[in-house]
Structure formats: C-alpha cells, structure tokens
Amino acid sequence: MLKRVIILSVVSILGGGAAFAAPQILTGSAAVNVTSDTAAAAKNIAFDNARRQIIGTALAPYTDRSALGDAIKDAPAAALTNLVATSSIDGEQQSATTYSANITMTLDGGAVRRWLADNNVNSWLPDNTVGDQVIVLVTLRDKVGDWMQLNQIARGENVELNTRNISGNQMTISIPESGRRMFAAAARSAGWQTSDDGGALRMWK
C-alpha cells in the first residue's frame, strides 16, 4: 500500500556536565510530524526518523561525517534503537493517520562507541576516563588561512591543537581543557567569535 510520509524536524544538541565529558551526555531533540496509513505506523516512522536524525547530529562533531551518514542510512532500526539510553516525548498528538511530537533521546556512549567501531566509522569520542580535552567546532571562512591562524594562536598560547576533521567549511579540533580559556581569549582578540555548545567550544568569524 502506498504510504505518504511527511517529516518536519529540528534537531538540536543539548549539553550537560563538564566540557568533553563522558559521551553519555550526547542528547538531541527532534520535532516530527508524520502521516502514514495508520497512527501506529506514523509513530513508528516518526521514532525511526527522529532516532536517525538525533544520532547523526549528536555524533557529527566526533566522527567522519560521510562514513557516519552511510552507516546510519544502512543501519536497521533495531541497531540504532540499541544506541539510545533514554528517551522522552513532549507535545504528543495523533489522529487516525498522523503522529507528531517533540522527541528527546540520550545516547549510550559505550554502545555508540562499539557501533561506530563495528561499522568502521572513524571517531574521537572521549573515553569515560578521559575528561581533559575540549572539542572545538570551527566554521571556516578561509579554510587554509583560518586553519593556519588557529594553529598560530595555539602555539602562541602554548596550547596543543589537534585537527580531527575538516568537512567543507566545518572543522573539528581538540585542545586541552586547561588551555581553553587562554585559547578562546586569544582567538577573540584575533577577530574570532566564540560560544559554548553543550561543553564544546564553537568558533566562527
């Protein structure tokens, strides 16, 4: 039977705990609105799509995004369900053929790490025992020039900078937590803007 599926979603990452803390803090929300043959079918589709969106957005800063996208696309629903530690629903509404809600899910860091490894997705999720690194999410205006400037700022502040991933104009790096304040202040002096993003440091010009 032909199914018509309409999905509207907004996914956001919420933070908790210390910067670059245990990956269990990875939490996302998706607003879904789905139409299908029945309300039950619509609800199943809504949860599956919310799960895939939340996992993709939550893990994007810590992984090879292309490989992550392929793994999520190919994964059966049951495999992704195993990555969710807790979930909650707000504003739930349904009719005979539609389902809408705001769905929030928190991922299980250990299960996520195993799933990424099993699917050959390169990642730099922190171990639960390592909490001294900060993920820095950078939007690049001049890819080469901005990257060189950030490395120069890091050297000037004696902060070790590790480039984790560059995808388009988005770059993910990590720095020691002890150097976060000095690095961010020096970057702002050099024309960068910064904000906290769930414990990660976000930077742009």
Side-chain angles (χ1 to χ4, degrees):
M1 183 179 295
L2 180 64
K3 295 182 179 180
R4 182 169 63 92
V5 180
I6 303 173
I7 302 170
L8 302 174
S9 64
V10 178
V11 180
S12 61
I13 300 304
L14 310 175
F20 205 49
Q24 286 90 333
I25 68 169
L26 294 175
T27 300
S29 296
V32 294
N33 187 336
V34 176
T35 297
S36 188
D37 296 327
T38 65
K43 183 174 182 177
N44 288 337
I45 295 170
F47 266 80
D48 183 59
N49 281 275
R51 193 180 300 116
R52 292 175 192 274
Q53 293 167 54
I54 290 168
I55 290 171
T57 305
L59 299 182
Y62 310 102
T63 59
D64 178 329
R65 298 184 186 192
S66 177
L68 174 66
D70 289 341
I72 292 173
K73 181 177 65 176
D74 296 337
L80 298 183
T81 299
N82 290 336
L83 306 184
V84 179
T86 62
S87 62
S88 61
I89 306 170
D90 184 49
E92 184 177 50
Q93 296 184 27
Q94 54 187 324
S95 68
T97 58
T98 63
Y99 179 86
S100 64
N102 297 314
I103 301 172
T104 298
M105 297 179 181
T106 297
L107 307 184
D108 182 317
V112 164
R113 194 179 291 105
R114 290 189 295 273
W115 179 78
L116 291 172
D118 289 344
N119 287 275
N120 299 313
V121 179
N122 291 329
S123 70
W124 38 94
L125 275 170
D127 292 331
N128 291 347
T129 56
V130 179
D132 63 347
Q133 291 286 304
V134 176
I135 283 290
V136 184
L137 309 172
V138 184
T139 299
L140 302 168
R141 189 169 58 184
D142 173 359
K143 185 180 291 187
V144 175
D146 288 348
W147 179 82
M148 292 179 62
Q149 184 185 40
L150 290 175
N151 275 272
Q152 184 179 16
I153 291 171
R155 287 194 299 270
E157 299 300 323
N158 197 29
V159 173
E160 182 179 359
L161 182 152
N162 294 303
T163 302
R164 302 291 190 173
N165 184 56
I166 299 178
S167 177
N169 70 335
Q170 301 297 312
M171 179 172 66
T172 304
I173 61 179
S174 64
I175 60 174
E177 166 65 26
S178 59
R180 175 181 181 140
R181 182 177 299 178
M182 293 183 297
F183 179 77
R188 286 193 294 269
S189 296
W192 289 85
Q193 299 185 62
T194 67
S195 68
D196 181 79
D197 187 353
L201 176 65
R202 187 170 291 277
M203 301 179 63
W204 70 97
K205 281 188 172 180

